[in-house]
Structures are given as C-alpha cells and as structure tokens.
Amino acid sequence: MMKEESKTNQNNDENKNENTEENKEETKDEPFEITPDMIIWKAMYLPDPIVRAVWELGFQTPTAIQLACLPTAMKGRKDIVGAAETGSGKTLAFGIPILNGILKDKEFELKKLKQNEEESEDSDDADDSDGNNDDGHTSNKKQRVEKKAAVAEEDSDDSGGQMEDFGGGIGRVRVFDVVELGNQKTKIIKGQKKLRALIITPTRELAVQIEKHLKAVAKYTDISICLVIGGMAAPKQERILSKGPDIVIGTPGRLWEMIEGGNSHLSQIKDIRYLALDETDRLLEKGHFAEVRTLLEHINKDEEKKRWRQNFVFSATLTLAHDLPNRLGNLKSKKKKEAMKLDKLLSLVGVRPKAKVVDLTTQVRSLKPASLSEMKLYSATVEDKDYYLYYFLRHNPGRTLVFCNSINNVRRLTSVFTLLETNPLPLHAQMHQKQRLKHLERFSSLDNALLIATDVAARGLDIPHVQHVVHFQVPRTSENYVHRSGRTARASREGLSLILIEPEEATTYRKLCSTLKKDKNDLPDYDVDMRIFAAIKQRVNLAKAIESLEHRTKRERSDKSWMKQMAEEADLVISESDQDSDSGSAAQSHSQLLTELKNKRKELTKLLARPFKRLLSNVRN
Ligand SMILES: Nc1ncnc2c1ncn2[C@@H]1O[C@H](COP(=O)(O)OP(=O)(O)OP(=O)(O)O)[C@@H](O)[C@H]1O
C-alpha cells in the first residue's frame, strides 16, 4: 500500500514541491541494493531508481493491470489502451512507462551529446593542424564551441530554442538558438528544457493526485513534474512552467488557455513523446469534449510527430456506452455503440494501429472490486432520504463520501448535517480551488469524516480508507455509479456502497442495473431499525426547520442591505419616518424569527446531547 503520508497530502503548494526537490537531492545518493524479492519489478523492466521508489512505497508486486500493461508499455513502441476496475493501480500502469521512457530518452540524449562533443573535438584538432583558422568571421571551431556552450546552458535557460535531430527517432535534442544582436558580434545562446510528456485528466483534484503519485515514484530520478490546472493564479502557473518541467499534468481548459496564451514551454506540446489520458471516457463527455478535441487536434497537427509518440488511454469504464452522444453516431446495438465509442475515441487521441488493448473489465461484473459490498435502500419520499442518510452515518462511523447530483443538494445537505453535528465537508465545482483541496486534505486526515460532493469527486480520487460511499441520488450514468462506488474498496480493502432510490428514480436505477448486467433486486436491501426512526426523524426535522429559518433570516438581511445600497447609489435619502413605517412590522417579524430560531437551536442541542447509543439500548430493552 502507498504510504499514507504521500497519498493524503493533496496540497499543491509550490514551495512544498520545491522542498520535495531538495529532499530528492538529499536521498538520491543514499546507497540502495536491489534484492531478489524485487525481482518481479525488475522483470517488468523497471529501472533501479523506480524499483527503489515503488519498493519504499510498499508496493511488493504489480497489480493485475500493471502486470498486463508494463512489459509491453516499457518497450516504448506500442500505445496502450487500458481498462480495469477502480482502485486497481492504473495510474502507475501508464505512469511508470512514461517515467521509464523519459529516463531512457535523457540517457540517449546525453550519450549522443558526448559523442558529438568527442567528434567535434577530433575535427577541431584536425582543423587546427590544417592551420585553417578564422579571418575575422566566426570559424567552424568557434561555432562548434558556441554550439556546445548552448547545450551546456540548456539547463539554465528556459526560453526559445530549435529542435535538432540526432537521428534514431528518440534522439532529438534541443540544442541551440544563436541570435545576432545588431552589428555587434555578441551572440545570445538560448536553450529550452524539453516538454516530454502530457497527462490530461478531467478534474483538478485528480491532476494533483497523479502529480503526487508520480513524484513519489520519480523520487530517485531527475524527472520534473508540474501541474497546469484551473484555479491556480496565472503568474504562478507561468513561473512553474518557466522551469521547463519534463511532464505536465493538466486539465483541458487551463492547458488550452495557456497554449493559446503563447506559453513558451507548452509551445512544444506537438513534440511530446508521451501522451496519457486518464478517465478518458469522462474527458470525452459533455463539458470537456470541445476543449479536449481542440487540444488533441492541436497536438496531432503534425502527422510525423504524432507517429513518434507513445499514447496511453485509460479508464475504469472505457467500454461502457450508457448514452452515446449524437456526435458519435446513432447506433442501436449496444455492442456496436461500444465499439464505435472506443474507435472514435482512439482516433481522436491519435492512438496508432496495433495498440495493445488491456481490458480487464470485459466481464461487466468485474468493473467492481471484489472487496466492495453494494446495497440499496428504497425511500418512499425524497424527504425520507435525509433520515436514512443520518441513520446510516450514525450507524456507520468512519470515513464516508456522499454523492449528490447537484451543487444545490450538496449545499443543502451540508447545512443540515452541520446542524446535526456530523461535520460535513462540501466539495463541488463552484468552490475555490484552495478550499476544494483543503477539504479533501481534511477528509483524508480525519478518522471519522464526512465529505458531501458532486461527481467532481467521483473519478480517480484515491483517498485512503474511505469505508463508505452513499449515492444520495441515483447517478445519471452507470459509469458514474462505478466511479463513485470505486472511491471505497480500493487496492483490495473492504468497502460498502449504498444507493438511495426514491420513486422518481426507479427508472434510472433500472437502466443502470441493466447496463451493469444486474437485476434491480440483486443488491441486498440495507436494513433500517424502524423503532428508532421517530427519534431520527425528530432530530433531522428540527435541523431542517432551523436550516430553513436561517435561510430566511439571511435572505431578509441581504434584501435589506440590497435596498440600502440601491438607495445610496441612487442618492436617495430615506427619512426616519419612512424607515419607521416600513420597518416597524418587519422588525417585529424579524425578531420573532430570531427568537424561533434560537429556541429551535436550543431544542436541537438538547436532543443531540442525548447519546445515540442510548436510543438504541432503550429500544432493545
Ligand atoms: N503495485 C501496487 N501495489 C499496491 N498498491 C498499489 C500498487 N500500485 C498502486 N497502488 C495503490 O493503489 C491505489 C489505487 O491506485 P490508482 O489510484 O492508480 O487506481 P486507479 O485504478 O487509477 O483507480 P480509479 O479508476 O478509481 O482512478 C493507490 O493508493 C496506489 O498507491
């Protein structure tokens, strides 16, 4: 299992990354011996620094998807299309080959560089011995010296640069760019660090997590990795990219924005040697498709370079086709739909013929990890779901992730469950990025924690020890059901997923079951002890009443301040008598509201002070 520390810290603070670089320097030179028990990793062609890192992370053997992908992927010649259950280690199935490829490329480039230097030194000697020296113009020898200097400066200068091919395909080295300044003989030599790999993900949180994961595995290499995600301040983003990272991990919108804005490091995007798409099917759904298509079309503009690149296309639900978008055709048969969806997707990415397809989900049932238990609970009304959720949370302490279909629902549940003292942390797309990461970090660090989220948290997030997932609303697609549930029972740990179904959702639930090849009655029912239901209801109803009163008082306050502001902007003077006559009764009703609120809060505090366990024992006695 991955060390808790490296998984839980979702903070993408730049300084922290720099510290990691320093730590890397300190630890890189410590002695490390490859022992026979690491043989399985060596058999997968992993270079020693990566074996060392995965071993220290506690990964003793590759997971099934890693076993199936690594041997081919590490050779660097074939593209990989991979599908496997959630939490099965897909990130490293594409991450390790990318790191390995970059290490090999760098090694090759260095070798070529040395060879060139030696050759040029030899020919320098020959030139000198010929006595063929310069006569006021720059001599061949001088030019070569400058060329070498440019190569040497590659590491310190981040702007401009031309690609020069040393032959052999992967041996392209960005060597030099010589600029003459007016009639002065000064030459400015520019170099640029190469952008070697791009990893595209649908959400910022997933990008942050992949960065953490890959950095941990690249710990003993000199490979640099950075993020390009929405929510990060533009100057900071520019600063990070100006360091010329080898790998960029990003979300499509921000990536495209930076490319269009003319970022110099990203101007090399067509030259990348490795391209990975994680949660690919999500990337090609509504909301991302237009941006991803523009981005991929841009990357794929040069056919020659496209052929030269190794592609990785991964997801847990690559082959499911719940609702094929019209743009991908209008086929009736599900099988055809699935094939079509995949074909379109692969051609858009630029996956080369003869790609290796590793699909460990051909049996739809194997989309679900074996350690995951799934249950369902039919709710007679929408309102009842609040009671069931509270009941579930009180009965199942631990780390629980609740999924809603809308931001409004996340907000409402957060308010009500805060009043019920379950300390929920909300997560949705309308929150500031910093806050989103903070909540994830907090959720990961508390033993008893509740995260209420939209599907922004459904894909890829690897939060340690999530014991329960509750689908507060039936997800709109079967893919989302699989991904949501997959936040628990990761890497062979036990986990429980509970879906709450209200009457209006019955059809969606039936469809979901049919796509997942389940009968709607397959999932066992979650049992609720109805004898304590009245007590549960009392608490939840009170919390809901308080929430609605709070909402009203807030609205009144904001209406009032809005009117005041409008009056001020219009230079209107509101006389005291106006105010008096207007606000007399309003003030009275407002104060009644506040009193009611205060009383209800008191009542709820009293109820919540009664230990829940006593309720249960009263019933049993
Ligand atoms: N070889 C391994 N041995 C043990 N644990 C591993 C191994 N490889 C990865 N892991 C751990 O397994 C967990 C899940 O990995 P990862 O996030 O890559 O899964 P995934 O298949 O991408 O899931 P999802 O489909 O939900 O995105 C992580 O905590 C990771 O550190």
Side-chain angles (χ1 to χ4, degrees), residues 1-3 7 41 54 57-66 84-94 206 209 213 278-279 314-317 458-464 482-483 486-487 490-491 493:
M1 241 23 53
M2 190 169 177
K3 270 183 194 163
K7 277 195 303 179
W41 288 115
V54 294
L57 287 168
F59 302 165
Q60 293 181 353
T61 55
T63 62
I65 183 79
Q66 292 163 3
E85 70 193 47
T86 51
S88 58
K90 291 187 288 296
T91 313
L92 292 189
F94 64 79
L206 184 53
Q209 180 184 292
H213 207 153
D278 197 15
E279 307 297 350
F314 275 74
S315 181
T317 47
R459 297 254 180 173
L461 289 190
D462 185 48
I463 306 161
V482 171
H483 286 283
R487 294 320 97 209
R490 297 179 71 74
R493 284 204 192 91

Side-chain angles (χ1 to χ4, degrees), residues 95-345:
I96 290 178
I98 292 178
L99 294 175
N100 176 58
I102 293 176
L103 281 180
K104 276 193 188 157
D105 293 350
K106 285 189 171 189
E107 218 175 277
F108 182 87
E109 287 160 14
L110 205 69
K111 212 167 98 190
K112 276 284 166 194
L113 208 62
K114 275 191 187 148
Q115 242 173 39
N116 279 9
E117 271 178 358
E118 277 163 21
E119 276 168 20
S120 80
E121 267 163 24
D122 288 348
S123 64
D124 286 350
D125 293 345
D127 283 352
D128 288 350
S129 62
D130 287 349
N132 201 5
N133 264 337
D134 77 87
D135 55 351
H137 293 96
T138 313
S139 71
N140 288 344
K141 181 177 174 182
K142 243 181 161 180
Q143 280 174 356
R144 275 193 297 272
V145 170
E146 279 160 357
K147 193 165 168 176
K148 274 187 271 172
V151 173
E153 281 205 6
E154 204 188 10
D155 276 357
S156 57
D157 191 337
D158 295 330
S159 53
Q162 292 291 316
M163 299 295 287
E164 184 160 308
D165 205 328
F166 280 88
I170 60 166
R172 286 160 62 87
V173 181
R174 185 166 299 277
V175 273
F176 72 125
D177 187 355
V178 183
V179 177
E180 294 234 13
L181 275 186
N183 53 10
Q184 289 189 28
K185 297 276 174 195
T186 327
K187 292 196 163 119
I188 294 174
I189 300 164
K190 295 201 287 178
Q192 185 174 38
K193 287 189 179 176
K194 273 188 180 185
L195 173 60
R196 296 166 187 274
L198 176 68
I199 300 173
I200 309 176
T201 77
T203 67
R204 302 165 185 182
E205 286 78 8
L206 184 53
V208 172
Q209 180 184 292
I210 295 177
E211 188 210 22
K212 284 253 152 228
H213 207 153
L214 292 195
K215 275 190 167 169
V217 176
K219 186 174 169 192
Y220 297 110
T221 72
D222 62 352
I223 295 172
S224 49
I225 305 171
C226 98
L227 285 172
V228 174
I229 54 172
M232 198 188 278
K236 180 170 168 180
Q237 189 77 84
E238 290 284 355
R239 209 164 52 241
I240 291 173
L241 281 169
S242 74
K243 292 180 186 162
D246 296 304
I247 304 177
V248 163
I249 304 170
T251 45
R254 176 56 68 95
L255 276 169
W256 184 241
E257 205 180 298
M258 299 293 291
I259 293 169
E260 268 197 313
N263 180 274
S264 112
H265 193 57
L266 291 180
S267 70
Q268 306 175 67
I269 208 136
K270 290 183 221 138
D271 302 323
I272 51 168
R273 276 274 294 132
Y274 308 94
L275 171 67
L277 275 79
D278 197 15
E279 307 297 350
T280 312
D281 51 338
R282 173 71 191 107
L283 278 171
L284 300 180
E285 277 177 8
K286 249 201 307 207
H288 288 296
F289 184 73
E291 279 165 347
V292 176
R293 184 173 55 187
T294 318
L295 189 59
L296 290 173
E297 281 171 358
H298 177 76
I299 297 172
N300 285 332
K301 253 186 199 146
D302 187 326
E303 282 296 325
E304 186 61 29
K305 289 175 179 166
K306 184 174 141 187
R307 273 201 294 278
W308 186 62
R309 194 180 69 215
Q310 191 180 19
N311 300 296
F312 299 87
V313 173
F314 275 74
S315 181
T317 47
L318 211 49
T319 48
L320 278 183
H322 62 276
D323 56 351
L324 196 73
N326 289 338
R327 62 181 178 272
L328 297 186
N330 218 355
L331 297 172
K332 288 264 152 52
S333 132
K334 206 167 206 170
K335 271 232 151 79
K336 275 191 187 162
K337 267 187 182 181
E338 288 175 4
M340 178 91 169
K341 176 186 168 189
L342 203 58
D343 280 354
K344 285 270 173 188
L345 191 157

